[in-house]
Amino acid sequence: MRTDAGSTPVVGRIPVLGVEPVVDAGRWPAQAVPGELVPVRATVFREGHDAVAATAVLVRPDGTDGPSARMTLVNAGKDAYAATLSPDAEGDWGLRVEGWSDPYGTWDHDATIKVEAGVDVALMLEEGARLMERAAAAPGRADADVQVLREAADALRDTSRGDHERLDAGRSEAVREVLDRQPVRDLVTASATYPLRVERKLTAFTAWYEFFPRSEGAYWDEEAQRWVSGTFRTAAERLPAIAEMGFDVAYLTPIHPIGRVNRKGPNNSLTAGPLDPGSPYAIGAAEGGHDALHPDLGTFEDFDAFVARAKELGLEVAMDIALQCAPDHPWVTEHPEWFTTRADGSIAFAENPPKKYQDIYPLNFDNDPAGIYAEVKRVVEVWIDHGVTLFRVDNPHTKPVEFWEWLITEVRRDHPEVIWLAEAFTKPAMMHTLAKVGFQQSYSYFAWRNAAWEIREYLEQLTTESAHYMIPSFWPTTHDILTPTMQYGGPPVFKLRAVLAALLSPSWGIYTGYELVEHAARPGAEEQLDNEKYQYRPRDFAKAEAEGWSLAPYLKRLNEVRRAHPALQQLRGTVFHASDDENVLCFSRRRVEADGTEDLVIVVVNLDPHSTRESTVHLNMGALGRQWWDRFTVRDELTGAEFEWGEHDYVRLDPHVEPAHVFSVRS
């Protein structure tokens, strides 16, 4: 590269460009978890015809070099190199790629051609011998490797042997193995070191269970003719069942005092009766705001006991952060500047036209940002101090991104264990930026992706464009979402959508009642009839399980399969395979460890919850690490059935019996 006098070339002696994974040129860190196989990519080339190579290096949080790997040329036409590295601990790591001139690769190429052609034979063999001696003298070389290289140098100079035999000594498998472990590298040129944040495994591999604590243990008091709320103590009685199903996180919808002004009634009606509990998302009343507990649920002592019980069962507690206020929230009178005042002097309530939320006021972050920032941080720390380790943030896309970046950074300084899930159903730019600034997980549009082509297209986007900084959380339903597909498919659709959610993404969740196939919708809306947001909804889980129609055992099995297979514990590596029936979706996930150990799962799902589907699926054998003629045994993790499979395989799936195969492949 030619430069003006006094200027510094920026490309480097061996150009190293397009390093991945990198987020916006290193402005924010890429994300990973300990043990994750992180794919590293770069474009590396040089002038002329000499061989070039590349090394991927992880830099530990203390600044020392960690795991490294020689990169493989995966696309010669584009000079594209790839390797896989795995960080082994949490912390703020770095990543760089080193390009270098490869003297051995250059000699190997040139000597092979010239000896075959009888050109400069003696010269090429002597250059090879000198290269072996140079490599043998490298610091840190193992004694056994030094011996291999010295013997190769002697053989290259041994004129009693034929020219081709001497050449073969320098090109032997033993020599290649030694120089693969510790190559001879000239003109080493390093890329910038890009940030890689390694957080605990739960940030990427999580199973959430959402419920309203007020419904657990709620009952109708016949004498008083009113509902009696559940409490933290009664809600804790649900925790063993949640843990038994294999979920990691018990997620609580808001647990704060609920406003009385403009309180919503059943099914989002504008008029609430005197005994209607209101929406817990209308936060704040005379009893307190975001740092207070609804008195019906109990005291902080009760809440602490709930968290302690969850931890005993191996569960972590998540709670909602909904930055909005009921009209009678203390902030409204103490800090009216935190809200938007309309021309008539009234405070603007929340709207998402045509929807109106008369029972809540959104915060306005522009009038007193310092005050709001400090108060929200204080509130978050209140709940962290009481054992909450995950926050599901309601509508974060309606608040400034810079606020979230500040808050998450501030909290992470003292509490790096905290995990943030963004409930941001919005445009891609906002969703992706929220992930970049710190939200490790994000709700996704999975619920509305039903056809095979939609699922393939969506997953291909998620696993290539944003996998290094955003984990999509797949939820078939939530307390706000009940899609038409879920309304009319019955138990088969609840099972097949659970399979897709649990196995396509390492993070998934369900809303309580999913195991009971709750599917009745409010007319004209994609949400539950008698929505739990506005009323108590106790459930008889024991009856459903006793009568054998609960999906709890099925959900438990899916979570067991996820935990048993490392291939299912990270987002990357999803491959879709062809099917003769577009209603039959086939995908695989494969993970190969450094020692060659393989974990391979193949999933086949009938997407039609109403009809039996028969099809032939056509496996991409190369993507499975196999030859087209290979045969192998697959075992269905759901039924225990075993089959012999190959490139083309017949399936028949009756959704009323079993809508999916989840095959583990025996090596």
Side-chain angles (χ1 to χ4, degrees), residues 113 122 189 201 206 241 274 299 309 332 350 406 423 454 475 597 608 613 636 645 656:
I113 294 173
T189 306
K201 188 172 183 179
T206 327
T299 65
R309 179 60 176 145
V332 176
W406 175 86
E423 190 248 1
E454 292 177 305
W475 294 65
T597 304
D608 179 356
R613 293 285 178 169
D636 193 327
W645 268 34
H656 299 283

Side-chain angles (χ1 to χ4, degrees), residues 24 58 112 132 242 268 300 358 493 546 610 636 648 652:
D24 286 9
L58 290 182
T112 301
M132 296 301 115
I242 297 171
N268 201 28
F300 272 99
Q358 296 89 343
V493 79
H610 308 288
D636 193 327
H648 309 287
R652 182 181 187 276

Side-chain angles (χ1 to χ4, degrees), residues 110-121:
D110 293 350
T112 301
I113 294 173
K114 289 186 176 183
V115 171
E116 184 66 31
V119 176
D120 296 334
V121 174

Side-chain angles (χ1 to χ4, degrees), residues 604-618:
V604 189
V605 185
N606 177 3
L607 301 178
D608 179 356
H610 308 288
S611 306
T612 298
R613 293 285 178 169
E614 300 179 55
S615 181
T616 298
V617 296
H618 308 279

